[in-house]
Amino acid sequence: MAKIIGAVTTSHVPAIGGAIARKVEHEPYWKPFFDGFVAVREWLAEVRPDVVVVFYNDHGLNFFLDKMPTFAVGAAPEYRNADEGWGIPTVPPFTGDPALSWHVIEQLVGEDFDLTTCQEMKVDHAFTLPMALLWPDQKWPVRCVPVCINTVQFPLPSAARCYRLGEAVGRAIESFPSDARVVVLGTGGLSHQLDGQRAGFINKDFDLQFMESLVHDPKWATQYSIPELVEKTGTQGVELVMWLAARGALGATARKVHANYHIPISNTAAGLMVLEPVV
Ligand code: DHB
Ligand code: FE
């Protein structure tokens, strides 16, 4: 059966794409952020995944406000990036894994999750930039399965439900007849608010407690409703549900391999973790 060998969770600020394009990773503003990824690349070189299952939220590139699925899973042979208007270069296309996608879709629907299945799907900065941070040469050595969770238009799925979605994705991967080595990637957060009176809001105490909870008490954040998470982490801070889904996929116990936290990158608290399942 396919095997989950670890999870990477990271923020996905568009300005990262600008920094990569301008080659300013070593400048003082960016260095503490990009330096965090060196250990992740070393870990990837060791664990050598074949597939990455990516939990992320689309911000209007593939889904707009007129049609907004709560959960959408890609089942395409290829996923392309396109201009979102941030002025950052697009990245090369990603190879899909339709057989694993359909297996995950069948298992999730079998567990009563209602999904939108996407045989065509554009992937935005929330997918492409974390991939570019993991593989800076952008010659993606993995097949991809995108799992998109709505954090853009209310109502949003609860943190508890996103965790359960992750658990179900984990079970689906581990029941897929293949010897594929799978990394789950969760992108979004941590605390940030881009608009309104609290624009620029960051909550370091909450973020650090959240990161710690993923190791020893992974369901800790699921005690909070979406409005409570907005209050604690900002309107876009709710993207941290992607971290919960990725953590859920790892199973009950996990160990921390690596972590980094730096504020701010653009308006966002930039967090990064690598976790491995303990079996
Ligand atoms: C920023 C952060 C995000 O998560 C996003 O999707 C867009 C912008 C920011 O901090 O600039
Ligand atoms: Fe975002």
Side-chain angles (χ1 to χ4, degrees):
M1 296 297 163
K3 194 170 161 15
I4 298 178
I5 52 178
V8 180
T9 52
T10 174
S11 309
H12 63 219
V13 180
I16 299 162
I20 294 170
R22 297 195 315 280
K23 299 188 181 2
V24 294
E25 294 95 325
H26 296 290
E27 290 189 359
Y29 180 86
W30 288 103
K31 191 171 162 42
F33 171 78
F34 279 97
D35 279 358
F37 286 85
V38 175
V40 186
R41 291 174 202 140
E42 286 168 3
W43 177 78
L44 286 169
E46 241 174 67
V47 299
R48 290 174 294 102
D50 306 299
V51 179
V52 179
V53 174
V54 188
F55 295 97
Y56 74 107
N57 59 294
D58 181 84
H59 303 69
L61 180 68
N62 192 65
F63 302 114
F64 202 61
L65 304 182
D66 58 336
K67 300 179 193 73
M68 184 56 67
T70 302
F71 301 124
V73 179
E78 185 181 80
Y79 302 95
R80 287 183 179 267
N81 184 210
D83 184 8
E84 297 171 62
W86 296 105
I88 57 178
T90 55
V91 304
F94 300 88
T95 303
D97 189 336
L100 177 57
S101 287
W102 284 114
H103 176 77
V104 168
I105 289 164
E106 279 176 18
Q107 297 300 306
L108 289 179
V109 173
E111 292 202 33
D112 297 337
F113 283 96
D114 301 320
L115 306 176
T116 297
T117 54
C118 302
Q119 298 185 63
E120 279 182 16
M121 195 179 197
K122 289 197 190 87
V123 288
D124 80 352
H125 68 275
F127 185 107
T128 61
L129 295 179
M131 291 293 286
L133 289 164
L134 268 40
W135 290 286
D137 66 2
Q138 301 189 8
K139 293 180 179 149
W140 323 117
V142 285
R143 301 185 297 281
C144 299
V145 175
V147 181
C148 184
I149 300 178
N150 168 36
T151 56
V152 170
Q153 177 165 261
F154 278 74
L156 314 187
S158 71
R161 189 158 162 77
C162 293
Y163 193 94
R164 289 199 297 274
L165 178 84
E167 288 180 313
V169 168
R171 283 191 289 274
I173 293 167
E174 302 224 314
S175 66
F176 183 59
S178 140
D179 56 8
R181 297 165 63 77
V182 182
V183 161
V184 289
L185 174 57
T187 94
L190 289 176
S191 60
H192 63 299
Q193 170 143 350
L194 302 178
D195 44 16
Q197 283 184 351
R198 287 204 311 172
F201 175 79
I202 280 176
N203 186 346
K204 181 177 177 182
D205 289 344
F206 182 92
D207 290 338
L208 295 180
Q209 194 171 357
F210 173 62
M211 287 173 75
E212 199 48 42
S213 76
L214 290 186
V215 187
H216 301 296
D217 185 13
K219 293 184 185 169
W220 173 76
T222 67
Q223 69 182 293
Y224 297 116
S225 67
I226 291 293
E228 285 168 337
L229 285 174
V230 167
E231 195 180 322
K232 288 177 190 306
T233 70
T235 39
Q236 284 78 26
V238 286
E239 290 177 347
L240 64 76
V241 297
M242 312 307 160
W243 292 47
L244 287 173
R247 176 63 189 82
L250 281 189
T253 47
R255 70 181 192 91
K256 178 167 73 182
V257 176
H258 175 62
N260 191 41
Y261 182 82
H262 177 67
I263 48 178
I265 288 297
S266 182
N267 293 295
T268 298
L272 168 66
M273 283 183 94
V274 178
L275 296 154
E276 281 182 346
V278 177
V279 280

